[in-house]
Structures are given as C-alpha cells and as structure tokens.
Amino acid sequence: MDNNLDNIPIIVQHNGHWDDSLQYLNFQVFGILVPKSCNYTNLVSMICNELKLQPESTFVKIEYQVKDGYPPFKIVDDLHINFYIELKKKEADFTIYPLCVTTENRDIQISAYSNGSGLTSNDEGMSSNTSYNNSDAVSKEVVEDYVDYAEQISRQMLDMSPEPTTEDEIIEISKDDVINNRQNPELSVLQIYKDKETLQIVLSLYAIRNNFQYKVKKSYKNQYLVECPDKNCNWLLRASRNGNTNQFVIRRMVDSHTCSLEIRFKDKRRATTNVIADVIKHKFSNIKTKYSVAYIIRDMKHDHNVEVKYNKAWRSKEKALEIMRGNATESFVELYSYLYMLYTTNVGSVVELQLTGNNCFLYVFVALNSSMKGWNYCLHVVVVDGTFLKSSYGGTLLVAATQDAGGKIFPLAFGVVDSENDMSWEWFFEKFRIAYGRREDMVIVSDRHESIIKGAKKIYPEVPNVFCIFHLLGNIKSKFKKNLKKIKDAFFSAANAYSVTKFQYHMKELEKVDKRVQVYLEDVGYEKWAKVYSGNNRYSNMTSNVAESLNSVTMSIRELPICTMLESLRALIQKWSWRNRNEANATSTRLTRKYEELLKKNYLLSVDLTVNPTNHILFEVLNGDKKNVVDLNAKSCSCKRFQMDEIPCAHAIAVFQKCNIDPYEYCSVYYKKETMVAAYKETVYPVGNRDTWEVPQTVKSLIVNPPEGRIRVGRPKKRRCKASWERNGKTLKPIICGKCKQSGHNRRSCRNPVKND
C-alpha cells in the first residue's frame, strides 16, 4: 500500500500524430504506474516494455501538453521527468497531462546518419527528411568514439575559419523543399531554409515556444552556430550555406538540454524586435487595420508568454510595417522601375517624373490611359485638391477627379509634390493639360488656395475656376464669428439658388444678419460661388466633395512609401473601374440609378400640376398661384432647374405627360446608362509581381534619391490641424500658462514672474 502511494498513475497515448492545431489525434492508449523517483531511462523502459519494444533499438519521443493548443513539452532527460512528476503531483485527476509517445527504429536512424550523398533524395524508399527528423536523439551509447572525435575536429574547424567544412555538401533540392515560412514549428537536420534570416527567425520562435535560451557562437555569411549558454549542456545547432546559394541547411542539431531550469526559463532574450515584427506582420496585411503598441504587448504576453516593453513593441511595429509596406528610402530607388512597368502595362498613360539637379525626387504625375479615355464620357467638371502625406518624407498628394454618369467618383490624375505651392500646382496643371487637354464648358472646382488659383489661371486661362462653398463658408466663419448658424443657412441658400430673384432674396437675409458678410462675398465674386451666376454649368458640384471623398478613401494609403502608395492608388482605380463597369452593365433602366431616382421624384411632383399649352413649343404650367413657362426647343423652364440640372423638372414632365413626349430624350447624355458603360470601357491593367518585371538595365540604372531635407523627427503627424469652426462650431480654448496663469503662451515660453495663489 505504501508502494502504491509512491506511484503516480499516468495515461500514455501512442501511435497518434499532432495536427496543425496542436491536437494529438488517432492514438491508442494504456496506463502505467510511475514511481515518484523515476528517471528518464526507467520511464523509457516502462513504455517499451508495455509496447513490446527493445529500448536498445528503439527511439522513444515523449511529449505532453499543459493546455489545449499549447506547444507540447518534450521529455528528454531526468530534469524533464522530474518537472513532469511535480506537475502530476499537484493534479488529483489522473487523466490530466497524458504522455504522447512516438517511437521509431533506431537502426534506421544510424544508417541514415552514416549514409553519404544519397540523402539528397528518396533513398531505399525512405525520404531524407524522415531519416533526419530525430537524428539529435542518437545517444552516446550508440555512437562510436570516432564520431565524437570527428565532432571535436569539426568544432575546431568552425573556430578557426568561417569557411564551410568538407562535410557541408551541396544538397540538390526542389523549390518545394525550401522553407519560406518563418513560423515553421519544428527544427530538424537537413531542413533547408530560404536564407539565413529565415532560419534565425524560426530558431528564435522555436526557443520561445520550448522555453530555452541559446547564444550565438559563430555567425558568418556562410555559417551559423548556436549553443546553450550553459557550457555543460549538449544542445547545439549548426547550419551552413547550401553551395553558392543563399539557402541555409541545418547540418547538425542536438535537441537535448541538460542545463538547469533556471537557465532555461530566464527572460526570453530571443524575442527581439525582428522576431516580434515577423510574428505580428500579418496584422498589417489590411491597410486599414489599427494595431496599436498596447495590442502588441498584450498579444505577445497572451500568445507567447513574453513580456515586451513599450519601446521594444513600438520598434517591432515599425519593422513589421516596413516588412509589409516597404522602406521609405529604398522605395525611391525602385521608382523608375515601377513607373516604367506602369507605363508599359497601361499603354497610353501619361507618367511624368521630375527630379532636382542632384537627382532628388521632386514631383511625379500619373494619369492612366483608362481615365483619359473615359474622361470624354464624364461631366466636364474637374475637382482638384491637395492633402498632406504621412510618410517619413512628408509631401503632398494632389488629385483631380470628376463624376461619371452614375454620380460616382471618377479619378482623373494624381501627383506627389513637395507641398502646395505655386510651382507644384502649375506643374500639375501643365501635365494635366497634356493628358486631358480642354473640353468645352469645362469648369475647375477647388478651394481658395492661392497656388491653385494662380496655376489654373496660367495653364487654363479660358476655363473658369470656381470655389467650393464649404471652404468659402470656413473663410467666412474665420472672419465673422457671430451668428454663424444664420450665416450658414442664408449663404448656402444663396449659393444653391436657381434664379436671380431667389439669390437676391437670400443675400438680403444675409445682409440682415451681418452686412460685412455680404460685402465680403461680393468682393470674392458671385460667379465664383453662386450657381445662378456661374458661367459654365457646375452640375450641382457646389463643393469639392468629389476630391475630398477621394482623399478620405486614401487616408491610410497616404502613410505608405512612394512606390507602395502609387501602386495602391492604381489598384484602387482598378477596383472601382471593375465594380462600376459591372454596375453599369447590370443597369436595366435608360438612366443610371441616381438620375432615374431624381426623374422619378420629379414625376411625383408633377402629378398636381396643370398644363396650359400656348403652342406646340411653349407651355404654361400652373401650381396653385405660381406659374412657370416650359420651352421645349430651348429645353428650359422659368424655374431654371430644367436647363441647369439638364434633367426635366416637374413642370417639364407635366408637359411631357400631356403631349406624350418621351422625357428621356430631354435628359443629359451624361446621365445615361450607355455613357457610363463607355466611361469604363478601357481596362486598368495590373503591373504584376515584382519578380516577373522585365525592366531594361538602362531604366534600372537611373538614380532617384529621396527628397532633399532630413526625415522628420518624432511620431509622424496623422491628422491636420482643424480650424475652430470645424470642431462642432465650438471655438478652441485659449492656451493658459501654468506659471503666470495668463493666456496666449505656455509655461515653457513664459517670461512673466510666477503668480502666487
């Protein structure tokens, strides 16, 4: 009975396998009683005795899990079995921590280890990987003395020279045998890795999962040797380059630790920023993913039981972003090659690159062939805007866009410049005119940036440059801070008025609120912001929302290096082109959805109207005491909506119903289905994978240096500074000094004496 108290019941699972989710499946089971003083040799003997195997000729691999999905612990020595027994003592349930046993014939291992060059392929029906999976388990009792001597000689050779030893043979392999996955869970002899860095990452993660430390003994371009920090421990791994390739092969591995648990369970020093970056990089595969430093610290602790400091987590995040998105400086080196491929795949595009005298990047302009061909089937309203970039070198993204027949954003061109200044905007408009020329009744819509006004006037002197009424309202709010709500309502009503009479009415209302606003708007020029005074039709594009919406979509893209950003913009246009082309082809109505709904709305408004014909051209339409005149030849109505919106108003539809006239014949061609289909007729072609690019050497040799000036120090600015009127109409709180308690400065710049409370 006393003997039974000294025994621990253990469940043994065997003849199973581990799946990808770290579950031991398809096993058989038996139970054994293990003495509390059992050592590793006795445990192996007990398992072999139960399975009717010879311990001398059988290799037994013993593992167990402490929780589901957790990497299994290995038992390879007495320290491991002691640790396992201590765990079992604390568990009353004997089914907890079952042993998972895998057995192999030791004779096969020795013959494979002593085999020559025949290990590079399947030899006698057995693959080389199978032969070497557990070569580290060959014990000293089996290996002859000359093997130990040969190992000592090889270590001396490693210490003397970084050159590979004669035993590092070149292994012929297929591409599928090379390990590219840096999350590879297992290490074994003859594994071949894409390069040394991949092997280092895999080894670091392997050490973290299996709770041990190692130190680098030798690290050269063609060799890599690591050992346990404890000199008395046998664990080691040696790898070397596979011939003249960049591939690294694990030549020898002793995966058996005899060091103390104190050494093994120290802080996990192998969780370097490079390793953590490789672990978390998949989190940034989606450009919109927000994965903060706090999440990195949390996940490393939860998933890998690794404590990470804030600074280390931040550096790891930056490296992960660089892995996924590219290096900001190196991206400029690739710029010529990328633009060459962009122009080659999308023949007919306009691609321009401007450098400084010392080959530093200055400007780039891109207008795709598909956009240039589709421009003729879109509204002749060009909306331009600029927004700052958030990458290391900063800069500004300039965009030009319009609307298609469905009222959707149709990107025309984009460019990257140093900032919004006179030279950059003039250069952008110059390239835009080369790509798109000038259309009749063309209109340029923008904010009131002086450089845009100057550039548009110089390159497009015959085209009116009108202003976004939202930005103009911002200017008004900055100058006149009283009664902002009343000013806004009156100003928007005046700007969107269809008749001069209504415009004048709302301007008088605005004058009642604040006379200064009316004078200010008159100085700006009514033709710049009022629909009724606009020389060319703005098609209700009273704001720059088309470009602003495009900038909003590209918010995350603006953080990327130059080549990655340009490719993301091209991919975005490709995605929109495909989606809108399918929508246009699937449209079953004569007009696109947006304008079909508008026409339907006007139909409903026409029900209660009365039509009095004057002749077959002029009609009087009555709505209570209001009268409107519709002219079919001029396609106009006295309400001005018919001719300004270029779609029949309610008065015109009432006439069409009385005369049995098809209203679709009086709709603008820019609203029709076939126009939208034609706009997306051309294809936006991908540039393909970088590995498949065929770029002439003359292009590759061209040099593009990063923009002049230093990389901005500190955390990059992600958001622009908003004006006080943009923050829900509330003014910003004044800055109060913490020393003197006065406003207008902070304590750092304070020059006043300290105010005593």
Side-chain angles (χ1 to χ4, degrees):
M1 186 172 180
D2 292 338
N3 290 338
N4 289 336
L5 290 175
D6 292 335
N7 294 333
I8 298 176
I10 295 176
I11 300 297
V12 180
Q13 301 170 349
H14 65 100
N15 290 340
H17 68 277
W18 296 97
D19 66 359
D20 294 336
S21 60
L22 296 178
Q23 297 288 331
Y24 194 72
L25 305 175
N26 302 327
F27 55 82
Q28 297 176 341
V29 65
F30 64 85
I32 56 175
L33 290 174
V34 176
K36 293 181 180 179
S37 60
C38 180
N39 58 28
Y40 176 73
T41 303
N42 292 338
L43 178 62
V44 173
S45 298
M46 293 174 67
I47 294 173
C48 289
N49 183 56
E50 187 69 29
L51 296 176
K52 304 297 188 291
L53 299 173
Q54 295 296 326
E56 296 80 8
S57 60
T58 303
F59 168 69
V60 180
K61 184 178 182 180
I62 308 173
E63 299 172 299
Y64 66 94
Q65 273 185 314
V66 294
K67 63 179 180 180
D68 291 340
Y70 202 76
F73 285 81
K74 294 180 181 179
I75 298 179
V76 296
D77 53 32
D78 292 345
L79 287 175
H80 291 173
I81 187 62
N82 292 338
F83 182 78
Y84 175 74
I85 289 175
E86 289 298 321
L87 288 177
K88 291 291 292 182
K89 284 180 181 179
K90 297 179 181 180
E91 288 292 341
D93 187 356
F94 72 94
T95 62
I96 300 296
Y97 308 138
L99 294 179
C100 304
V101 175
T102 306
T103 60
E104 291 188 22
N105 191 326
R106 196 185 294 274
D107 292 337
I108 297 178
Q109 298 250 341
I110 297 173
S111 63
Y113 191 85
S114 61
N115 199 1
S117 59
L119 292 172
T120 58
S121 60
N122 289 352
D123 189 25
E124 297 181 0
M126 181 179 63
S127 68
S128 60
N129 288 339
T130 303
S131 302
Y132 270 79
N133 270 343
N134 292 291
S135 62
D136 57 287
V138 181
S139 64
K140 293 184 178 180
E141 289 81 1
V142 180
V143 179
E144 299 294 338
D145 291 340
Y146 69 87
V147 178
D148 293 334
Y149 178 73
E151 177 59 26
Q152 294 176 15
I153 296 297
S154 67
R155 288 192 181 185
Q156 294 173 11
M157 295 292 289
L158 283 170
D159 293 339
M160 292 170 58
S161 172
E163 295 300 321
T165 60
T166 55
E167 67 179 14
D168 293 347
E169 56 191 307
I170 300 175
I171 300 178
E172 297 293 336
I173 54 164
S174 67
K175 187 177 181 180
D176 296 336
D177 294 329
V178 179
I179 297 174
N180 297 316
N181 179 20
R182 296 186 173 187
Q183 310 292 324
N184 192 50
E186 293 294 333
L187 287 169
S188 61
V189 177
L190 278 194
Q191 279 184 340
I192 304 171
Y193 290 85
K194 183 182 74 170
D195 50 34
K196 182 181 177 182
E197 184 181 1
T198 303
L199 172 61
Q200 289 173 321
I201 298 293
V202 171
L203 178 59
S204 297
L205 292 174
Y206 183 77
I208 293 171
R209 284 194 300 268
N210 292 276
N211 299 292
F212 70 88
Q213 307 295 327
Y214 66 86
K215 65 178 182 178
V216 179
K217 187 70 178 293
K218 294 290 181 181
S219 181
Y220 302 112
K221 290 183 179 180
N222 49 12
Q223 284 197 7
Y224 190 57
L225 173 65
V226 294
E227 295 178 343
C228 181
D230 189 346
K231 295 182 179 179
N232 298 320
C233 182
N234 294 326
W235 188 94
L236 66 84
L237 181 143
R238 189 179 73 82
S240 62
R241 200 165 62 180
N242 189 25
N244 293 325
T245 68
N246 291 325
Q247 301 161 0
F248 259 67
V249 184
I250 298 179
R251 305 290 180 176
R252 185 168 185 269
M253 181 178 179
V254 179
D255 197 10
S256 176
H257 280 278
T258 58
C259 55
S260 65
L261 293 177
E262 181 183 359
I263 294 177
R264 291 194 61 185
F265 284 86
K266 275 186 178 179
D267 292 338
K268 297 178 179 180
R269 294 174 296 173
R270 291 302 155 189
T272 62
T273 54
N274 287 335
V275 173
I276 297 174
D278 199 84
V279 171
I280 66 174
K281 66 181 181 182
H282 68 281
K283 298 286 187 179
F284 302 101
S285 56
N286 187 336
I287 191 68
K288 296 182 180 180
T289 299
K290 302 297 182 184
Y291 190 60
S292 67
V293 173
Y295 290 156
I296 296 173
I297 296 173
R298 180 202 64 187
D299 291 347
M300 290 303 297
K301 177 63 177 177
H302 180 270
D303 298 338
H304 303 280
N305 197 26
V306 175
E307 297 279 357
V308 181
K309 300 292 186 181
Y310 183 91
N311 286 339
K312 190 174 188 179
W314 185 85
R315 294 197 306 272
S316 301
K317 178 182 177 180
E318 292 300 304
K319 288 186 177 181
L321 288 171
E322 186 173 311
I323 292 172
M324 298 299 294
R325 302 174 182 178
N327 180 275
T329 302
E330 295 175 357
S331 188
F332 287 99
V333 179
E334 296 282 337
L335 188 54
Y336 258 124
S337 297
Y338 173 76
L339 294 178
Y340 173 83
M341 290 304 304
L342 182 64
Y343 179 80
T344 304
T345 53
N346 292 271
V347 178
S349 302
V350 174
V351 180
E352 295 284 345
L353 177 63
Q354 182 78 30
L355 304 179
T356 63
N358 53 355
N359 293 326
C360 289
F361 173 84
L362 186 60
Y363 308 140
V364 66
F365 175 91
V366 175
L368 296 177
N369 176 64
S370 60
S371 298
M372 293 164 59
K373 296 292 179 61
W375 156 245
N376 293 320
Y377 304 97
C378 296
L379 299 183
H380 44 70
V381 178
V382 180
V383 185
V384 297
D385 192 28
T387 182
F388 73 97
L389 298 179
K390 297 175 277 187
S391 61
S392 300
Y393 289 95
T396 302
L397 175 67
L398 307 183
V399 297
T402 185
Q403 287 181 303
D404 61 16
K408 299 182 182 299
I409 299 173
F410 190 90
L412 296 173
F414 51 89
V416 178
V417 298
D418 52 352
S419 64
E420 288 193 83
N421 53 59
D422 293 353
M423 291 182 62
S424 62
W425 270 114
E426 181 181 332
W427 186 85
F428 183 83
F429 278 120
E430 180 183 331
K431 302 307 174 185
F432 186 88
R433 181 144 194 167
I434 292 174
Y436 290 96
R438 173 187 169 274
R439 283 175 60 183
E440 188 177 358
D441 297 331
M442 180 175 165
V443 179
I444 297 175
V445 181
S446 68
D447 57 26
R448 297 184 66 212
H449 198 289
E450 291 185 3
S451 297
I452 299 179
I453 298 172
K454 292 178 181 178
K457 185 176 181 179
K458 183 173 182 179
I459 306 301
Y460 280 104
E462 68 276 36
V463 176
N465 177 201
V466 296
F467 299 146
C468 166
I469 60 174
F470 182 78
H471 284 89
L472 185 56
L473 177 64
N475 299 145
I476 294 172
K477 287 181 175 181
S478 299
K479 290 179 176 292
F480 314 103
K481 302 184 182 299
K482 294 181 180 180
N483 300 317
L484 295 181
K485 179 65 170 63
K486 293 181 179 179
I487 290 175
K488 175 184 176 182
D489 294 340
F491 170 68
F492 276 178
S493 297
N496 289 286
Y498 282 90
S499 66
V500 175
T501 303
K502 286 189 176 181
F503 173 81
Q504 291 175 345
Y505 168 79
H506 292 298
M507 289 300 293
K508 288 181 180 179
E509 292 295 316
L510 189 61
E511 187 178 0
K512 293 178 183 179
V513 178
D514 194 329
K515 293 182 179 180
R516 298 173 300 167
V517 178
Q518 192 271 340
V519 175
Y520 175 78
L521 292 174
E522 187 175 355
D523 292 339
V524 172
Y526 292 162
E527 73 282 358
K528 294 291 186 180
W529 57 272
K531 180 186 293 187
V532 69
Y533 285 102
S534 179
N536 293 342
N537 197 343
R538 295 178 65 163
Y539 289 92
S540 298
N541 281 280
M542 302 306 296
T543 68
S544 58
N545 279 352
V546 172
E548 293 284 355
S549 299
L550 182 57
N551 287 336
S552 177
V553 172
T554 61
M555 185 175 295
S556 300
I557 295 176
R558 302 203 304 267
E559 300 180 17
L560 302 176
I562 181 71
C563 285
T564 314
M565 182 184 66
L566 293 177
E567 172 57 15
S568 298
L569 289 168
R570 185 213 59 79
L572 178 66
I573 297 175
Q574 176 187 331
K575 177 182 176 181
W576 283 358
S577 178
W578 166 257
R579 183 188 63 191
N580 295 339
R581 183 187 301 118
N582 289 341
E583 181 177 325
N585 290 325
T587 300
S588 57
T589 54
R590 293 171 66 179
L591 300 183
T592 59
R593 183 187 305 173
K594 175 182 177 179
Y595 296 104
E596 192 73 27
E597 290 294 327
L598 180 58
L599 191 63
K600 178 181 176 181
K601 179 181 177 181
N602 290 340
Y603 258 103
L604 295 175
L605 295 174
S606 69
V607 173
D608 297 330
L609 303 181
T610 303
V611 178
N612 293 327
T614 301
N615 53 37
H616 64 284
I617 296 174
L618 292 177
F619 297 83
E620 185 182 53
V621 182
L622 305 179
N623 181 17
D625 58 344
K626 296 180 180 180
K627 298 179 181 180
N628 291 93
V629 178
V630 176
D631 186 338
L632 296 184
N633 277 355
K635 294 183 179 181
S636 66
C637 177
S638 57
C639 73
K640 304 296 183 180
R641 291 179 179 272
F642 190 4
Q643 56 268 41
M644 295 182 73
D645 292 342
E646 293 192 10
I647 193 169
C649 61
H651 311 110
I653 289 178
V655 173
F656 296 155
Q657 287 180 308
K658 185 174 183 64
C659 301
N660 294 321
I661 297 174
D662 184 3
Y664 291 103
E665 296 298 327
Y666 287 83
C667 295
S668 171
V669 68
Y670 298 119
Y671 303 156
K672 296 185 177 180
K673 170 190 172 179
E674 57 267 22
T675 306
M676 187 171 179
V677 172
Y680 296 101
K681 182 179 179 181
E682 297 294 326
T683 302
V684 181
Y685 293 97
V687 297
N689 193 285
R690 250 177 61 185
D691 297 337
T692 63
W693 288 1
E694 296 181 0
V695 182
Q697 189 59 41
T698 53
V699 176
K700 290 182 179 180
S701 61
L702 297 174
I703 299 173
V704 180
N705 296 320
E708 292 180 314
R710 295 176 56 188
I711 297 179
R712 293 180 296 178
V713 178
R715 179 176 293 180
K717 193 176 180 180
K718 302 296 184 183
R719 298 180 181 178
R720 67 180 178 87
C721 297
K722 292 185 178 181
S724 59
W725 56 268
E726 293 182 274
R727 301 194 175 191
N728 300 322
K730 298 180 181 179
T731 58
L732 294 174
K733 294 182 180 179
I735 299 174
I736 304 296
C737 176
K739 287 184 178 181
C740 66
K741 309 303 180 183
Q742 295 183 11
S743 62
H745 63 274
N746 56 26
R747 62 184 299 121
R748 190 173 185 179
S749 58
C750 182
R751 296 294 181 268
N752 299 327
V754 178
K755 183 177 180 180
N756 296 322
D757 296 331

